[in-house]
Every structure is written in C-alpha cells, then in structure tokens.
Amino acid sequence: MDWRERPRCDETPEWAALTRLAAAQPDFDVRAAFARDPERFARLSQGAPELFADWSRSRIDAAAEAQLLALARACGLEAHRDALFAGEPVNTTEGRAALHPLLRAPAVGSAIAGWPTPALAPLHRAVLETLERMLAYAEAVRADPDMTDVVNIGIGGSDLGPRMAVQALAAWGAAGPRVHFVSNLDGHELAQTLAGLAPERTLFLVVSKTFTTLETLTNAHSARDWFLAQGGRDVARHFVGITTAVEAARAFGIETTFGFWDWVGGRYSVWSAVGLALAIAIGAEGFRAFLAGAHAMDAHFCTAPLEANLPARLGLLDLWNRDVLGFGSRCVAPYHAGLARLPAYLQQLEMESNGKRVDLRGRALTLPTSPVVWGEPGTNGQHAFFQLLHQGTDVIPVEFLAVARARHGLVGHHAGLVANALAQARALMVGQDDPGGHRHFPGNRPSSFLLLEDLTPRSLGALLALYEHRVFVSGSLWGIDSFDQWGVELGKALARDLTPRLLSGDVTGLDAATAGLIGRLAPFFEK
Ligand code: F6P
C-alpha cells in the first residue's frame, strides 16, 4: 500500500469489527480474564531491546489485540513506518521528512539490513560529522577545569529531552561540570540560575531549532547582558549555538555552532546536537550508548512482525484505550526519582504530536486523538492523586515504570520502592470489597508496567525510542500528521500583540475578559 493512500482507521471494516468486539463485552473484567486464561500474562507482555513491558492488566484480550493488529495492517502501518525510515515527507503539512531515527544510525553495523539506504547516505554523513564534532566539543568541555557550569537555554524540545535525560543519567555524570537548564520566559528562573554562577566559568548553550523562539532569545540576550555586566570578556568562547538557523546564531554573536536539520522535529531532537548538554553531562561514550539503545529499538520496530512488535502493540493499546474504551487521560508513574521529568517530556512528545483535530486531508476527525498525559514519580504520586485513581469516578489507565537495579548504596529503599509500584498496580486491579462503604475499591482499573533492568544511557535511549514509535503508531492509525504543531502558533501571535498593550493600556478591539485583566495589570507595567 502507498503510504499516502492509507485509510483512516475509522473508515475501515476492521474498525467496525473492533467496535463490535468491544460491544460484545461491555463489562470486561481483568480479574475474570486472568481467571479464564492462565496464559494471559504471557500473551499480553513481551520483551524488547533493554526493557520488558506488561499490559496484561489492561481491559483488552488476545482477540481484541488480534483485531487491532488486523486494523493496523488495513491502515498500512508498515508502509507508513517504512516511509518514515526511508525519509519520505511524512510530515505532510510542512512537506518534510521525520528522520530522527537517522540521528542514531551507527557509522557501521546498522541493525537494520539495507538501512540507511544509499539515498540517505549524504544526510547520514552530515549527521555523523556533526555528531563527532559535537562529542569532541563535549569532551573538551568536560576536560576543561575552568568550565564548572553549563547552562542550557532552550524550551520545548530544546529543553525537555536533555533536561530529563541529564537528570535520569546523573549517575553517569562523574567529573563533568554542573549542568543547569533555563527555559521559562519568567525571568525568575534565569535570575535564580545566574545567581550562583561566575561568568568566566560558565558556558551557555543557546538551543533553538528556529532561533526565533521568544523565550530562548529573551533568556539568551539577558544571559549575555549578565555575562558582560559581570566582567565576562569572551562571548564567543562562552556562548554556543545549537540550531538549524546558523546565520541567526551568528548574528547574535555566537561563533561556535552545531547545526541540525529541518527534518528533525523539536520533540524528536534530543539525539541531535540538541543533546549537547547531555553529552557534556555523561560524556561521549555515554551519549553513543544512548544513541545505540535507540537504534536497537528502531531495528525492533522496523523488523519485528507486528504481533511481536512492542511499539506497535503499545500504540494499538493506546488507540484501544482512547477510542474504544473512551479513556481521556493516561497517568505515567515512573518509580525512579531520576525519571521525574519523564512525564513532562512525554507530554510534549505525545500531546504535541497527536493532539490534532483534522486528518492529513484536513477533514475533521470523528475519533478522539491524544489523551491527556500526566504524572509524577512514585512514590510521591501515591500521596497526592492516587486516591482518585483508586476510588475516583473516572477510570484512568496508569503506566508504571520501574528499574530493577538501584545505583545508590542506601539500604532499605529499593525493594520498598519497587514493591510499591507492584502494589499499586495490583491494588488498582484487584480492588477491595466494602459494599457501600468508604473502604470499597472497585478494582478492574487498568494499568501497564514497563520494566528496565537498569537505568543506563542505553536503556534510556531504547525507552525514549519506544515512546516515539508508539506515538507514531496511534497517530498513523488516526490518519493525522504527528510531526507538525500548528496549534502553538495562535497563542504566540496573540502574545506579540498583547505585550505592548500591557505597557500602553490600549485595549481597543480586545474581548472583554482580556481587556478587563489588562485594565488591572497595566498600572504595574507603565513606564
Ligand atoms: O512550542 C512549539 C515549539 O515549536 C516546539 O515544537 C519546539 O520544541 C519549541 O517550540 C522550541 O522551538 P525552538 O527549538 O525552535 O526554539
């Protein structure tokens, strides 16, 4: 099937069959399903590079999964995946490829036979060249005893990936400089970060794909002003640019730049030079392992039959939960403090990719798309919102993540931590009887469980690539463009209009609510 001719999932007979299947068991109970099928855990779980996934506590059975796989085939998922890897312009509204897997393709020994294809060779060479230059630079920064602090200035995809990964891989950061992140337009964040820094010992990474983003440019200008005001002398040595708009970075006064390409979406860019902060934090070897883990997952996604293809199976589960069962949100609960920023990272990855209301042809969708993704690390979340997950009126699937091995030497923590993740998943499913009472837990609340043996650069790379492909799978079946983000533009344009109005107090032509609030705020901004 030509990837451009793929039908939307709700336009296929397989979709109708899927909804009939669901309608035949309106009161599906996971506990009864386990009792019926001793093989349920084996059927609805599998290993993949660097991790193991179990979704047997979801409200799905093997028959529904088989029908979802048939639906995926009818929707040309494999052809679409192959087009993604071939560098076809799958980002149709922007006429671009989405070739982030190429960023992690090794120089030799690709695990995907025949890929990168000869047609991709020039791009692959450029990727490897930038990677080598970027890693050499990262090592030089790590080896420079005078550079004690690195500040990554960026937002969205130019912040969330590196910020999350640096925290997750803190155990690999020995001997490197301290790495800080500033993203918010709110000057409090930058001011607080700068307060502890010395200009001659600080390196600023200005990370912006477009080099036009208001937050990043405002912070970069303020950081440079601070640097000069504090007696900093060599802007060229202390400011580095990571961007596809190298000329714009030069105009800012930046001499050292690392480029990337318009076919790297912001939320898919941590594998490119956008990951420089991570490379500085974990070193070149660590960064290569991070890429290698992702490449292993790419190979799995490209080569495993759909029945044993983890991104495909989880992406289809997401579609089932959202469109057949109607669950509007998914909670992500990583039981590892290092993964504290994973929910925020996944919010951009999933909600910016699949928060869409029209299909590739611009027709309004009839099925709901991305769920709201949210979460907090366990066990903290247990003492905040798990009450609602257990006894609230909404059913919200929870995705638990746990890591078998701990990298701290503290006794008495890790078994308790992992046991809590297991206990929560079990409690959600089994529930507790107290008919009519406050201690009644209905149970049958769905969850999935991702298990890493260890949190390493390699396993983190594999985990993130799994999520990327999983988001692609559901987006593909919905027939949407998972690689554009037009929905962020309107607010940006309106903010440009409102900023001078806050200073002037001019509310001409505004809606009454905005005008009313400006009326209250303007006195604080008057010059
Ligand atoms: O918020 C929209 C967005 O374009 C994201 O997709 C992107 O990651 C972020 O802004 C930052 O963009 P840039 O890297 O161009 O500064």
Side-chain angles (χ1 to χ4, degrees):
M1 181 188 296
D2 183 332
W3 66 272
R4 288 182 186 82
E5 306 298 324
R6 293 169 309 111
R8 225 166 64 182
C9 69
D10 55 321
E11 296 171 333
T12 63
E14 286 77 6
W15 172 257
L18 189 71
T19 52
R20 278 198 302 276
L21 202 67
Q25 358 183 21
D27 302 316
F28 187 93
D29 192 304
V30 178
R31 296 160 291 198
F34 269 108
R36 271 197 307 275
D37 180 5
E39 295 302 312
R40 183 174 169 83
F41 176 75
R43 273 191 233 286
L44 298 174
S45 65
Q46 80 163 78
E50 300 295 321
L51 48 86
F52 178 82
D54 158 36
W55 59 101
S56 59
R57 282 181 273 217
S58 303
R59 290 189 193 171
I60 192 169
D61 60 14
E65 206 191 44
Q67 188 56 40
L68 281 163
L69 290 165
L71 177 69
R73 290 205 163 90
C75 292
L77 173 64
E78 289 147 306
H80 198 197
R81 172 200 62 196
D82 295 347
L84 174 91
F85 278 78
E88 298 282 339
V90 292
N91 176 356
T92 54
T93 72
E94 295 182 297
R96 291 174 184 167
L99 261 176
H100 43 281
L102 193 65
L103 299 169
R104 51 239 188 178
V108 287
S110 167
I112 308 168
W115 187 86
T117 56
L120 294 177
L123 291 184
H124 191 208
R125 263 197 305 280
V127 164
L128 293 171
E129 223 172 82
T130 307
L131 175 67
E132 292 311 319
R133 210 163 65 78
M134 185 265 255
L135 292 182
Y137 182 81
E139 283 300 328
V141 172
R142 285 173 63 78
D144 183 348
D146 294 336
M147 223 45 114
T148 55
D149 293 89
V150 173
V151 182
N152 188 97
I153 298 178
I155 196 165
S158 298
D159 166 79
L160 289 161
R163 190 194 285 247
M164 176 271 298
V166 165
Q167 187 177 2
L169 301 175
W172 268 258
R178 286 180 291 267
V179 182
H180 315 265
F181 289 87
V182 172
S183 56
N184 206 313
L185 183 58
D186 183 348
H188 291 105
E189 189 181 30
L190 178 64
Q192 242 167 44
T193 305
L194 295 177
L197 302 181
E200 288 306 336
R201 294 177 157 274
T202 303
L203 175 66
F204 292 94
L205 312 179
V206 183
V207 189
S208 176
K209 178 177 171 180
T210 54
F211 225 81
T212 59
T213 304
L214 173 75
E215 292 89 337
T216 301
L217 291 190
T218 307
N219 280 323
H221 278 108
S222 297
R224 188 177 56 184
D225 292 348
W226 169 88
F227 178 81
L228 295 171
Q230 298 289 310
R233 279 186 302 278
D234 192 352
V235 170
R237 179 170 135 74
H238 289 267
F239 284 78
V240 173
I242 292 112
T243 182
T244 58
V246 169
E247 285 314 314
R250 295 247 158 83
F252 178 91
I254 288 177
E255 285 175 21
T256 307
T257 56
F258 296 94
F260 59 112
W261 304 271
D262 69 359
W263 43 262
V264 181
R267 52 195 177 274
Y268 300 89
S269 66
V270 65
W271 324 98
S272 71
V274 170
L276 179 56
L278 176 63
I280 292 173
I282 65 174
E285 201 188 326
F287 197 82
R288 285 186 206 283
F290 178 63
L291 298 183
H295 178 65
M297 189 59 77
D298 291 340
H300 170 74
F301 183 47
C302 278
T303 58
L306 292 187
E307 288 72 12
N309 191 311
L310 189 58
R313 296 179 84 187
L314 290 181
L316 294 171
L317 172 70
D318 294 339
L319 187 94
W320 171 263
N321 277 341
R322 184 71 185 104
D323 293 328
V324 179
L325 301 183
F327 300 143
S329 122
R330 179 166 71 248
C331 173
V332 179
Y335 278 65
H336 191 299
L339 293 174
R341 294 291 296 171
L342 184 70
Y345 170 83
L346 293 178
Q347 279 177 330
Q348 188 200 20
L349 178 63
E350 188 150 357
M351 294 163 75
E352 196 166 86
S353 296
N354 286 347
K356 307 286 164 66
R357 54 170 291 284
V358 295
D359 68 14
L360 290 171
R361 286 172 229 161
R363 299 174 302 169
L365 296 168
T366 54
L367 292 175
T369 54
S370 175
V372 175
V373 178
W374 58 285
E376 269 289 306
T379 57
N380 295 3
Q382 290 174 207
H383 300 273
F385 51 78
F386 267 64
Q387 163 65 38
L388 179 150
L389 297 176
H390 288 290
Q391 289 188 317
T393 47
D394 284 311
V395 174
I396 298 176
V398 184
E399 181 140 299
F400 293 92
L401 285 99
V403 180
R405 206 168 275 161
R407 291 215 160 238
H408 58 74
L410 301 174
V411 179
H413 288 252
H414 199 56
L417 176 73
V418 174
N420 265 276
L422 294 169
Q424 291 298 325
R426 181 168 150 70
L428 284 165
M429 178 179 76
V430 298
Q432 173 175 282
D433 263 346
D434 177 20
H438 293 292
R439 289 185 172 78
H440 183 72
F441 289 63
N444 195 30
R445 302 229 155 171
S447 67
S448 45
F449 209 105
L450 296 187
L451 192 55
L452 308 186
E453 199 176 301
D454 199 354
L455 185 56
T456 64
R458 196 179 161 89
S459 68
L460 183 67
L463 177 71
L464 302 187
L466 167 68
Y467 275 114
E468 286 180 352
H469 295 322
R470 172 177 174 178
V471 165
F472 172 77
V473 167
S474 51
S476 176
L477 268 74
W478 282 318
I480 59 179
D481 186 342
S482 298
F483 300 108
D484 64 13
Q485 58 283 319
W486 298 106
V488 301
E489 296 303 326
L490 178 60
K492 287 184 193 174
L494 296 188
R496 275 195 295 276
D497 171 53
L498 293 181
T499 307
R501 289 173 181 269
L502 267 178
L503 305 179
S504 67
D506 174 15
V507 296
T508 321
L510 294 179
D511 63 273
T514 310
L517 291 171
I518 287 191
R520 298 185 79 90
L521 281 162
F524 294 92
F525 288 90
E526 273 165 10
K527 286 191 217 109

